[in-house]
Amino acid sequence: MAIYRKYLEPSYGPVAPEVEIMAPQVMDMEHKEAWRRQSDYESLALMTAAYRKCNCYPQVMRVLTEDVRLDFGNGPFRVRIYLPPEGAGKRPVLVYCHGGSFSFNSIEVYEYVCRYLCMAGNLIVVAPDYHLAPEFRFPKGLEESYETLKWAEAHAEEYGGDPDNLNVGGDSSGGNFAAVLSMLARDWKGPKICRQLLVYPLVCNYAEEVTRSEELYGRNHFLDYRCVDDPMAPYFSREEERKNPLASPLLAKDLTGLPPACLVLAGCDPLLDQGLMYAARLEDAGVPVECHVMEGMLHGFFNWTYGKSFEALGLGARFLNQRS
């Protein structure tokens, strides 16, 4: 990846004083399922304890959920639908893909993100618990997310959703999926995507040089990441896959005709620069872009309960629930 221009020049400031820098998540490759299960339990317990201290907790817990099981050839997996508890009229639909380096996390870990977006944006949220790498490598999880998108369009009205107001979103590797889903929907003639919400998205899996944000924040800032060190190796089977635009949308030759994008980036994140470059590439391709850098925040802050976490969630909810 040659360095592209950035949407804006970041300040590369310090981590905000209220932010806890947690240890990086390193999956035990010898005991993947047990590690994932324990990691999910611990993450959900921490997030529940944090959310219960917030005055929004009773409201987000009024959101209704329903699980369905889908199978598109890799075996069954869950999809969770989040429904606002009240209101009338067709609501926007958001297919939200969770992050986790393509290889861990689940819809449980993202329970409060999806609940909050549903509540604050009056959205129907559809969250696929897609199969994970390395058991299911590129592009298996992406394909399941695309099929979930088509399923959401076909079934939106059953849940009070508007199939003509279909949106995609995701964070980190899930942001990668959301960006690529927008490309697939354009190239494969549907479903039509109205908007894409990309939260600190991983948009390049092949690079020949280290970005400035990777130099500054790639170690000891929760997410240990330098693209040249091949941190997403469990997701890929062959070197050439990393350069595929379906894995690295930043490297795509053509970004024209994509839906309007809202990027929410963390100011102290090794992925900051590639997010800013992707915003610039979208803008240069004529795509309407809004880009927000949450200063002092780390990768993963979208799941937590900092003031800027709720600010970012609110930005995403408002972007997705625009009327035009």
Side-chain angles (χ1 to χ4, degrees):
M1 175 187 69
I3 298 297
Y4 196 75
R5 81 167 182 91
K6 297 173 187 173
Y7 187 82
L8 54 84
E9 285 297 326
S11 64
Y12 299 122
V15 178
E18 71 272 19
V19 171
E20 179 183 359
I21 303 179
M22 297 183 181
Q25 293 175 294
V26 181
M27 189 164 69
D28 181 349
M29 298 300 289
E30 297 298 317
H31 308 91
K32 295 183 286 294
E33 284 301 319
W35 183 91
R36 287 178 181 133
R37 193 175 302 113
Q38 179 176 338
S39 178
D40 284 359
Y41 286 157
E42 291 173 350
S43 295
L44 182 59
L46 288 170
M47 292 170 192
T48 299
Y51 258 85
R52 290 189 68 179
K53 297 176 183 178
C54 300
N55 59 31
C56 68
Y57 182 72
Q59 194 172 358
V60 297
M61 293 310 295
R62 292 181 61 230
V63 168
L64 306 174
T65 63
E66 178 179 327
D67 284 7
V68 298
R69 295 187 75 82
L70 304 179
D71 189 339
F72 301 114
N74 300 322
F77 66 98
R78 295 176 302 158
V79 172
R80 182 163 295 168
I81 301 106
Y82 297 80
L83 306 165
E86 56 194 25
K90 292 183 179 180
R91 299 176 174 90
V93 177
L94 169 66
V95 174
Y96 191 89
C97 301
H98 71 75
S101 301
F102 306 110
S103 58
F104 56 87
N105 287 339
S106 66
I107 52 179
E108 274 77 27
V109 174
Y110 281 77
E111 185 74 3
Y112 295 108
V113 166
C114 293
R115 283 180 175 272
Y116 198 95
L117 289 171
C118 174
M119 175 200 73
N122 194 31
L123 309 169
I124 307 297
V125 180
V126 179
D129 206 18
Y130 53 85
H131 285 96
L132 300 170
E135 297 94 327
F136 298 86
R137 293 177 181 262
F138 172 82
K140 297 295 187 181
L142 172 63
E143 291 172 342
E144 290 179 336
S145 297
Y146 180 69
E147 293 297 330
T148 301
L149 178 67
K150 294 197 295 183
W151 182 92
E153 180 190 44
H155 294 269
E157 291 182 308
E158 298 172 21
Y159 296 96
D162 184 355
D164 295 321
N165 193 347
L166 190 61
N167 307 274
V168 294
D171 65 288
S172 194
S173 57
N176 175 290
F177 280 3
V180 176
L181 290 177
S182 299
M183 295 166 55
L184 291 176
R186 175 199 64 184
D187 296 342
W188 294 354
K189 310 303 180 187
K192 183 182 183 297
I193 304 301
C194 293
R195 295 175 182 84
Q196 51 179 323
L197 172 64
L198 309 178
V199 182
Y200 34 80
L202 172 63
V203 289
C204 186
N205 281 289
Y206 177 80
E208 296 174 338
E209 54 188 303
V210 176
T211 65
R212 181 63 175 153
S213 62
E214 289 174 4
E215 290 178 349
L216 292 172
Y217 308 118
R219 296 288 184 268
N220 304 314
H221 287 81
F222 177 59
L223 176 66
D224 278 1
Y225 181 93
R226 288 192 177 202
C227 195
V228 295
D229 295 335
D230 196 15
M232 300 300 143
Y235 183 49
F236 298 106
S237 301
R238 297 179 299 276
E239 175 67 21
E240 59 267 24
E241 291 176 343
R242 294 165 174 77
K243 303 178 186 179
N244 189 320
L246 300 186
S248 297
L250 183 60
L251 305 182
K253 293 181 180 179
D254 181 15
L255 297 180
T256 61
L258 294 178
C262 175
L263 284 89
V264 177
L265 309 177
C268 300
D269 183 353
L271 301 187
L272 173 60
D273 282 343
Q274 59 173 272
L276 291 172
M277 287 188 278
Y278 194 64
R281 281 220 57 206
L282 289 170
E283 183 181 63
D284 291 346
V287 177
V289 175
E290 61 178 77
C291 184
H292 308 274
V293 177
M294 312 308 287
E295 301 293 348
M297 293 294 105
L298 295 177
H299 192 87
F301 84 96
F302 205 56
N303 293 73
W304 294 100
T305 55
Y306 304 117
K308 288 187 178 179
S309 303
F310 291 116
E311 180 182 348
L313 286 161
L315 287 168
R318 286 190 293 274
F319 171 76
L320 294 163
N321 204 11
Q322 295 178 56
R323 297 301 179 185
S324 58

